[in-house]
Amino acid sequence: MLFLYRGVIHAPFVYDDIDQIQKNASLLHLRTTLQYFHSAVPFTDNLRGFGGSFYRPFFWLSLAVDQKVWGLNPTGFHITNIVLHWIAGLLGFFLLRRLRASVLVSAMSSLLWLGLPINSEVVAWISGRSYSLMAIFLFLALLSSQWYLRSKTFLALFSYSIAALAAILCHEEGVLVLPITLLVLYGVDRFRSRKEYVALGVAGTSMLVVYFYLREIAGTQTSAAGSPKLLAVGVSFMKYLSWMILPIRNNVDDHNGGAVRVGVATMNHHIVAFSHHDAVLPLGSIGQ
């Protein structure tokens, strides 16, 4: 990873980094940084034709920590981005091992994901780290769900809930934690442990309720005041679609690609792992 991203370390602040980090006085003190837990931040007009705002308090908190450690030295922020990406890959390796993939398959899949060019935005663009943070907590949630199925302890279920909530507080794509959890676990034992699946479903749904409640308190908007929300969503979706496939983009200019990339890469981990199973694994064998 250091070899692949060695050129990023000395890169300057670019695009949103300038306003969100270099010119953002709110990151200088913990008290002002905590305002992001009860205040939404507007999107740029380029991202949403009808305005709107986003709610990612853990993302802002991570920037504040970097600001405290590195000052306004972009090199430090880039190092943090590389480390976060590496942690996500390591957790992906542990997840594959938990799903009984071989060490070789787990290692090669994780290394392949870490080096994919389509992940370059998440690492090279400091403001793109919200995707890496979300991926880290997504993997932690999946590992916790495996732990809960094996141990059936409250602590494991609580860990899953916290990781699921943290993923959404890093990036709104974290709402996919619950469906991805159920999809992965279905591939493991075909919902034979129904009581545990219900508990995970309730825990995941509860965290979604908490998240949307916090969003409401923060005043997060899906569109500017007075504009039809359904139309705003439609316009946003079409922009999202065009940026992703018309044409395909793999550079730092693509503001939305990272979320889909993280999701696709995550599912690739699982597909590779499951392709090496000849039969459905018994629940009790997971992680042994």
Side-chain angles (χ1 to χ4, degrees), residues 28-84:
L28 295 175
H29 305 286
L30 178 62
R31 180 179 57 83
T32 52
T33 302
L34 292 178
Q35 73 180 357
Y36 290 112
F37 280 86
H38 54 79
S39 300
V41 178
F43 278 114
T44 63
D45 290 337
N46 182 53
L47 184 62
R48 284 181 180 266
F50 292 86
S53 56
F54 64 93
Y55 181 69
R56 303 169 190 168
F58 276 19
F59 161 69
W60 296 108
L61 191 59
S62 76
L63 294 180
V65 172
D66 264 7
Q67 171 86 308
K68 195 71 174 177
V69 175
W70 306 103
L72 286 176
N73 182 359
T75 296
F77 287 81
H78 285 299
I79 291 175
T80 300
N81 270 31
I82 293 174
V83 171
L84 289 174

Side-chain angles (χ1 to χ4, degrees):
M1 268 197 61
L2 289 177
F3 175 77
L4 290 174
Y5 292 106
R6 65 190 185 282
V8 171
I9 295 179
H10 300 295
F13 293 116
V14 296
Y15 302 108
D16 295 351
D17 299 341
I18 296 174
D19 289 328
Q20 294 186 159
I21 302 172
Q22 198 170 23
K23 297 181 180 180
N24 190 355
S26 298
L27 301 180
L28 295 175
H29 305 286
L30 178 62
R31 180 179 57 83
T32 52
T33 302
L34 292 178
Q35 73 180 357
Y36 290 112
F37 280 86
H38 54 79
S39 300
V41 178
F43 278 114
T44 63
D45 290 337
N46 182 53
L47 184 62
R48 284 181 180 266
F50 292 86
S53 56
F54 64 93
Y55 181 69
R56 303 169 190 168
F58 276 19
F59 161 69
W60 296 108
L61 191 59
S62 76
L63 294 180
V65 172
D66 264 7
Q67 171 86 308
K68 195 71 174 177
V69 175
W70 306 103
L72 286 176
N73 182 359
T75 296
F77 287 81
H78 285 299
I79 291 175
T80 300
N81 270 31
I82 293 174
V83 171
L84 289 174
H85 188 52
W86 178 82
I87 292 174
L90 184 63
L91 291 173
F93 169 81
F94 289 144
L95 176 62
L96 288 175
R97 289 294 294 138
R98 205 49 101 171
L99 294 175
R100 297 298 298 275
S102 68
V103 173
L104 179 61
V105 170
S106 301
M108 292 302 294
S109 298
S110 298
L111 288 174
L112 177 62
W113 181 68
L114 286 172
L116 282 176
I118 55 176
N119 282 323
S120 60
E121 174 190 332
V122 176
V123 182
W125 181 36
I126 298 173
S127 295
R129 74 167 52 168
S130 57
Y131 299 119
S132 291
L133 289 167
M134 187 273 292
I136 287 172
F137 287 110
L138 167 62
F139 285 130
L140 286 174
L142 292 173
L143 286 167
S144 296
S145 68
Q146 294 287 324
W147 177 25
Y148 175 66
L149 287 184
R150 288 184 292 110
S151 66
K152 299 177 175 57
T153 62
F154 174 78
L155 180 60
L157 184 62
F158 180 74
S159 298
Y160 172 78
S161 302
I162 295 301
L165 179 60
I168 318 176
L169 294 179
C170 294
H171 195 283
E172 51 272 12
E173 300 292 343
V175 298
L176 297 175
V177 169
L178 179 57
I180 291 177
T181 299
L182 296 177
L183 178 63
V184 172
L185 296 183
Y186 175 76
V188 173
D189 76 335
R190 298 296 193 270
F191 291 149
R192 286 197 293 266
S193 305
R194 294 185 180 180
K195 181 179 178 181
E196 285 71 29
Y197 282 106
V198 170
L200 287 170
V202 170
T205 303
S206 299
M207 294 305 100
L208 287 175
V209 171
V210 171
Y211 167 70
F212 284 111
Y213 175 72
L214 292 174
R215 276 176 56 98
E216 187 67 24
I217 292 177
T220 309
Q221 298 178 348
T222 56
S223 60
S227 63
K229 291 188 176 182
L230 185 59
L231 181 59
V233 171
V235 171
S236 299
F237 175 76
M238 291 308 298
K239 282 189 176 183
Y240 184 92
L241 186 63
S242 65
W243 287 347
M244 286 302 299
I245 64 175
L246 299 174
I248 296 176
R249 300 181 182 182
N250 285 323
N251 57 42
V252 75
D253 237 348
D254 178 8
H255 280 56
N256 284 294
V260 172
R261 295 166 192 167
V262 169
V264 171
T266 300
M267 296 314 299
N268 282 341
H269 271 65
H270 305 148
I271 292 171
V272 171
F274 293 145
S275 67
H276 285 72
H277 291 283
D278 295 326
V280 177
L281 295 173
L283 181 61
S285 68
I286 300 172
Q288 294 180 1

